[in-house]
Structure formats: C-alpha cells, structure tokens
Amino acid sequence: MDAFDMAGVMRLQQKLNKKFNKVFIDINGSRDIGTVYDCLDKYQKVLHPDLIVLKSIKVRTLLHQCIPWTSAAEGQPCRG
C-alpha cells in the first residue's frame, strides 16, 4: 500500500475493524523530506498511533547531521 494514500489506509482500517496504533512506513530514498514530514503529520493527526517507525535514507542522513538543542539551565535535550 502506498503510504501517501491516507484514504486507502482509512478504508483498510475500517475493513479490518481494527485501530492502527503502530505504523511502519518504508519510504524510498527519492522522497523529499518535506513530503515525508507531511505524510507523518497526516498519520499522527488521523490515526493518533502509539508508535510510528519510519525507514527513510534522507531523514536518517539529516538526523545524523543534527545535534539536539539543550537548555543551558537544565542541560537536558529539548523534548518539544
């Protein structure tokens, strides 16, 4: 199933009469990070899953280049 076909995901959820609370998405390397973010945002807003696992080379590469921001007062990573 295409991860970007949210209507299809909703139909499958209704057909199976199950709430999807764990979502596993395999994105091939050609998808733009903004497009991937929009897809994740839709899953979060529509399904409210307990867990989303994303396989994306572009996102992985980006995250490896990032350093979590820490509060100088607390010295702990920011958790939004």
Side-chain angles (χ1 to χ4, degrees):
M1 172 171 283
D2 188 315
F4 295 89
D5 180 10
M6 187 54 69
V9 171
M10 296 302 295
R11 282 192 303 274
L12 179 60
Q13 181 175 249
Q14 289 174 344
K15 180 180 178 179
L16 297 174
N17 198 27
K18 300 274 185 179
K19 180 186 181 309
F20 294 162
N21 57 5
K22 310 267 189 306
V23 177
F24 295 82
I25 303 171
D26 185 351
I27 304 287
N28 71 27
S30 64
R31 295 288 188 156
D32 178 65
I33 290 174
T35 304
V36 173
Y37 174 82
D38 290 342
C39 178
L40 293 174
D41 191 48
K42 286 179 185 177
Y43 276 90
Q44 182 60 39
K45 287 178 179 174
V46 173
L47 298 178
H48 307 286
D50 297 330
L51 174 73
I52 298 176
V53 176
L54 172 69
K55 180 183 172 190
S56 168
I57 295 295
K58 284 189 176 183
V59 173
R60 179 181 179 268
T61 301
L62 175 66
L63 290 176
H64 279 288
Q65 296 172 354
C66 295
I67 299 172
W69 178 83
T70 58
S71 168
E74 298 176 19
Q76 299 295 323
C78 178
R79 301 203 188 272

